[in-house]
Amino acid sequence: MAQAMTDTEAPPGVPATAPPPVRNRRRRPAPYLLLVPALATLLLGLGYPLVRQVAMSFQEFGLAQQFGTADPGWIGFDNYVEILSDPTTWAVIARSVVFCFAAASLTLVIGMGVALLMRSISTVARLILQVSMLAAWATPLIASLTVWNWLFDTRYGVVNWLLVKIGFEGMEGYSWLANPWTFFLVAGVIVVWMSVPFVAFSLYAALTQVPEETLEAAQLDGASRTQRFRHIIVPTIRPVLSIVMLLQIVWDLRVFAQIKYLQGAGGTVSETNLLGTYLYQLGIAQSEYGVASAVAMVMLLLTLGLTFGYVRSLLREERAS
Amino acid sequence: MSPRRKSRVVWSLAAIAIGLIFAGAGLWLIDRPDLWLWLITGTVFVLTGAVGLAIGDNAPQISWASIVGAELIVLYTLTPVVYLVSLSLKGGNADVNQGGFLPHDPGFTNYETVFEFSLFQHALFNSFGISIISTSISVVLATFAAYAVARLRFRGKKLVLSVALAIAMFPVVALVGPLFDMWRAIGIYDTWIGLIIPYLSFTLPMSIWVLSAFFREIPWEMEQAAEVDGATAWQAFRKVIVPLAAPGVFTAAIITFFFAWNDFVFGISLSSTERSIPVPASLAFFTGASQFDQPIAAIAAASVVVTIPIFVIVLLFQRKIVSGLTSGAVKG
């Protein structure tokens, strides 16, 4: 595939002696030609759904409109007013944001710990750590949900069994999913479990770029471990750290399958909805397509708002390079 | 042998001995119901000792606390995986309901059940086909786009990157409904192509980001340098640029493959029959041997079957993935 790339853009026969900008002046359409296939695919897969989402969020759109027995009428911001004046929505938003930040920061802390560990332990130990990370990463979503749910099962779960064995008799038959607090504890454990490997590998990769000599020099000059971490390691890996953080916030805010699965396994839907499942409940289960689209738009705006700082710094880097 | 090293070796051997005593006691008292706890404790001790022995002398800063931390993390990441395998080996409903970590009546019956289930066979075939096709197309398209973004200067580059990022942020669930309607209307509901298109749409933005960060770091002048040294243009590209670009392309491919192989939401909404249903969605249709049987052990067996190919790929290319992330993730 890399070969095809060059065939279209930079014919190997033309030695690129001039700096890139000059070369581009010669063949202006090339960048756009290279972008067209990807953009066309995106348009095909997402164009219509996205436009329709935005349109529907301003329309009266329910089952009747879906089956064509009534015309969708334009109702301006009514859907937005409806969801934003509903306290349920605010509860869901608050829950989602708290869950997102808790899970994302926990993931980053553990991931950072693992990355630092991988750097300082011997090859054999590192290999063991990496393989176990990869095992967690490679397990398909639905498989890991099944097994985690079963680990926390009320009657047959290993967690309850173990807790009873080590002396917490009260945990006999404890239903983790019935109580919203422990529901989110379980959900958090699962989400973090799935996300740590990616974060750990990315950060470990970044750590390999930290100059060893600088660290040694700082140590000789009397910098403590914390100081070295804060003033040398963190600045060096900042680009990776911010993109990983950004992705983690985006992913944890729109978490869906994990919550949906756990709700099905015994959670109280109304008390455990996050934005993803709230959207699903409105759109698919209650056929309130217009309202659900408004929720999706609010969710997108919320994501953009929460990640604004990161996005801006990423784009600034882009301009710099 | 330095005193420091000596004490480390002594302590490590002591840890291994303690661990063996624990595990031995656990095994010896095999009728104890908490055998599991004994074995785990023993394993942690033995591992701590082993890590202590294996540590290189050039890494003197490692503390026992961080070794134990590492073990806890390994325990956290591996327990569910091991338990999945253990569940899949349990023999029948009675064994599953008896609880406990290890199977009481181990056997391969669940695997037989899974492979006799014809939907699963079709699903395996579908998943392989769909994932491989999506990955190939996505990587080619992302390579084109990322090359343009990273190496060429043109108007609207920032717009392209911002749009890609915004798409990556859009809630997946919200798009399922409109896609469902649209696929029904144009007749590609429940087909391979109907799943490939959404997989491409959701992995392309991410791949373009990763690859463009990666391509920016490649020293493209080396291509010219090789030509100056007498290599033909093709040789220069083949021998210099391809090896440098390969890890990044590989990382993008892995990310795409994981997404397609693991997807549940699209699978369950945009396919319904053996024509196109992928494995994760097909697991939802699993039933036990009888109506009252929990299909949990069968699902576990199917999950193990699904995990194996990914695990093999990942193990084979472990080093490449890490090096791909290394060079791709770090800019400047």
Side-chain angles (χ1 to χ4, degrees):
Chain A
M1 4 190 155
Q3 301 160 6
M5 168 191 89
T6 322
D7 289 344
T8 5
E9 165 34 28
V14 183
T17 39
V22 178
R23 196 163 75 141
N24 289 325
R25 219 165 286 151
R26 274 215 317 266
R27 51 180 96 222
R28 229 159 227 296
Y32 301 105
L33 283 181
L34 284 173
L35 286 170
V36 162
L39 294 182
T41 315
L42 288 178
L43 203 67
L44 187 64
L46 295 171
Y48 169 76
L50 276 176
V51 170
R52 193 172 144 186
Q53 277 296 311
V54 179
M56 270 201 309
S57 74
F58 295 105
Q59 284 178 330
E60 166 88 50
F61 209 107
L63 261 190
Q65 286 77 11
Q66 175 74 3
F67 290 120
T69 50
D71 278 334
W74 295 94
I75 52 170
F77 283 92
D78 282 9
N79 288 329
Y80 291 88
V81 173
E82 186 184 333
I83 55 163
L84 293 180
S85 57
D86 184 353
T88 320
T89 312
W90 290 103
V92 169
I93 291 180
R95 222 179 275 142
S96 298
V97 171
V98 171
F99 181 80
C100 160
F101 276 104
S105 34
L106 203 60
T107 308
L108 274 169
V109 169
I110 298 183
M112 190 74 206
V114 175
L116 286 172
L117 261 176
M118 280 203 239
R119 190 180 143 90
S120 57
I121 53 185
S122 67
T123 321
V124 179
R126 182 166 61 232
L127 215 62
I128 296 173
L129 202 57
Q130 283 181 346
V131 167
S132 74
M133 287 276 135
L134 289 171
W137 199 16
T139 311
L141 177 69
I142 194 78
S144 39
L145 285 175
T146 311
V147 76
W148 274 108
N149 178 39
W150 199 241
L151 277 170
F152 281 99
D153 189 75
T154 306
R155 281 175 64 200
Y156 310 117
V158 169
V159 175
N160 279 354
W161 175 75
L162 194 67
L163 285 172
V164 170
K165 280 278 179 293
I166 60 176
F168 295 95
E169 301 290 341
M171 298 307 282
E172 173 93 55
Y174 182 76
S175 171
W176 290 84
L177 301 180
N179 176 332
W181 287 101
T182 47
F183 177 94
F184 283 113
L185 184 76
V186 175
V189 166
I190 301 177
V191 170
V192 171
W193 182 77
M194 290 175 176
S195 332
V196 161
F198 173 74
V199 174
F201 279 119
S202 307
L203 290 181
Y204 171 64
L207 281 178
T208 57
Q209 308 290 309
V210 177
E212 203 65 54
E213 309 82 52
T214 322
L215 282 178
E216 271 166 30
Q219 193 177 3
L220 286 177
D221 289 344
S224 73
R225 199 184 277 217
T226 339
Q227 282 173 326
R228 272 176 278 151
F229 180 72
R230 270 190 49 201
H231 298 297
I232 301 175
I233 296 186
V234 170
T236 319
I237 63 170
R238 174 152 293 148
V240 185
L241 206 55
S242 47
I243 197 162
V244 167
M245 230 179 224
L246 169 78
L247 287 173
Q248 220 49 54
I249 291 177
V250 171
W251 286 337
D252 288 350
L253 194 66
R254 68 175 190 199
V255 54
F256 170 73
Q258 292 89 331
I259 306 295
K260 182 92 187 77
Y261 187 92
L262 290 178
Q263 284 180 342
T268 321
V269 173
S270 60
E271 284 173 358
T272 56
N273 261 343
L274 296 187
L275 279 166
T277 46
Y278 185 55
L279 178 70
Y280 181 87
Q281 190 197 341
L282 285 171
I284 311 251
Q286 297 173 6
S287 303
E288 297 268 8
Y289 302 105
V291 184
S293 306
V295 172
M297 297 312 293
V298 169
M299 210 168 149
L300 182 62
L301 290 178
L302 188 67
T303 317
L304 285 173
L306 288 178
T307 56
F308 183 69
Y310 296 117
V311 173
R312 215 177 39 175
S313 72
L314 275 176
L315 287 177
R316 200 179 298 142
E317 262 165 49
E318 188 55 43
R319 203 177 334 163
S321 59
Chain B
M1 200 187 269
S2 68
R4 178 176 199 134
R5 183 163 181 196
K6 198 168 171 185
S7 84
R8 200 189 67 219
V9 169
V10 168
W11 279 109
S12 305
L13 288 176
I16 293 180
I18 296 173
L20 287 177
I21 292 173
F22 261 103
L27 279 178
W28 196 35
L29 309 165
I30 197 141
D31 53 334
R32 286 186 64 99
D34 52 358
L35 165 70
W36 190 63
L37 203 60
W38 288 75
L39 284 180
I40 289 290
T41 318
T43 315
V44 169
F45 268 103
V46 171
L47 276 180
T48 310
V51 173
L53 280 182
I55 273 182
D57 269 339
N58 50 359
Q61 294 186 5
I62 193 96
S63 61
W64 292 105
S66 52
I67 296 182
V68 175
E71 278 158 10
L72 289 179
I73 287 168
V74 171
L75 207 62
Y76 178 41
T77 49
L78 276 189
T79 308
V81 179
V82 174
Y83 188 48
L84 189 70
V85 176
S86 151
L87 263 181
S88 75
L89 293 173
K90 292 199 174 194
N93 222 16
D95 194 347
V96 173
N97 287 350
Q98 207 174 329
F101 194 80
L102 298 172
H104 303 276
D105 176 22
F108 287 96
T109 45
N110 297 314
Y111 290 90
E112 284 164 25
T113 315
V114 163
F115 279 107
E116 278 162 14
F117 190 55
S118 84
L119 184 66
F120 185 73
Q121 297 168 11
H122 289 284
L124 263 184
F125 177 66
N126 291 335
S127 264
F128 264 113
I130 293 173
S131 305
I132 289 171
I133 295 175
S134 309
T135 308
S136 331
I137 301 179
S138 170
V139 164
V140 174
L141 298 189
T143 308
F144 285 158
Y147 181 84
V149 168
R151 279 209 75 198
L152 310 176
R153 205 165 276 189
F154 60 94
R155 283 169 154 276
K157 185 196 277 192
K158 261 174 78 181
L159 184 74
V160 170
L161 281 172
S162 317
V163 168
L165 205 60
I167 289 173
M169 282 181 183
F170 206 79
V172 178
V173 213
L175 299 177
V176 165
L179 270 179
F180 174 80
D181 292 341
M182 190 175 158
W183 281 184
R184 294 285 281 235
I186 61 175
I188 55 170
Y189 172 76
D190 197 20
T191 59
W192 280 23
I193 187 79
L195 284 172
I196 290 173
I197 292 174
Y199 292 165
L200 286 179
S201 320
F202 276 95
T203 53
L204 269 175
M206 174 92 179
S207 302
I208 293 175
W209 267 89
V210 171
L211 275 176
S212 61
F214 196 86
F215 285 164
R216 258 202 304 276
E217 292 310 305
I218 291 182
W220 297 91
E221 318 81 65
M222 277 170 65
E223 197 178 19
Q224 299 153 32
E227 282 173 36
V228 172
D229 288 347
T232 65
W234 172 244
Q235 278 173 331
F237 175 72
R238 175 81 192 75
K239 296 256 163 70
V240 179
I241 298 302
V242 170
L244 286 171
V249 175
F250 196 81
T251 308
I254 283 280
I255 292 175
T256 311
F257 190 85
F258 270 36
F259 183 92
W261 185 258
N262 269 332
D263 161 71
F264 178 69
V265 177
F266 289 113
I268 200 88
S269 335
L270 300 178
S271 68
S272 60
T273 66
E274 58 188 32
R275 268 175 70 197
S276 74
I277 201 163
V279 173
S282 79
L283 295 187
F285 293 95
F286 263 61
T287 48
S290 83
Q291 198 190 337
F292 304 102
D293 256 8
Q294 278 161 321
I296 205 106
I299 290 182
S303 305
V304 172
V305 174
V306 180
T307 312
I308 288 171
I310 292 225
F311 200 65
V312 169
I313 294 176
V314 158
L315 274 186
L316 282 180
F317 297 107
Q318 211 242 117
R319 191 167 297 174
K320 273 222 179 76
I321 296 172
V322 174
S323 80
L325 284 169
T326 314
S327 13
V330 182
K331 301 182 210 160

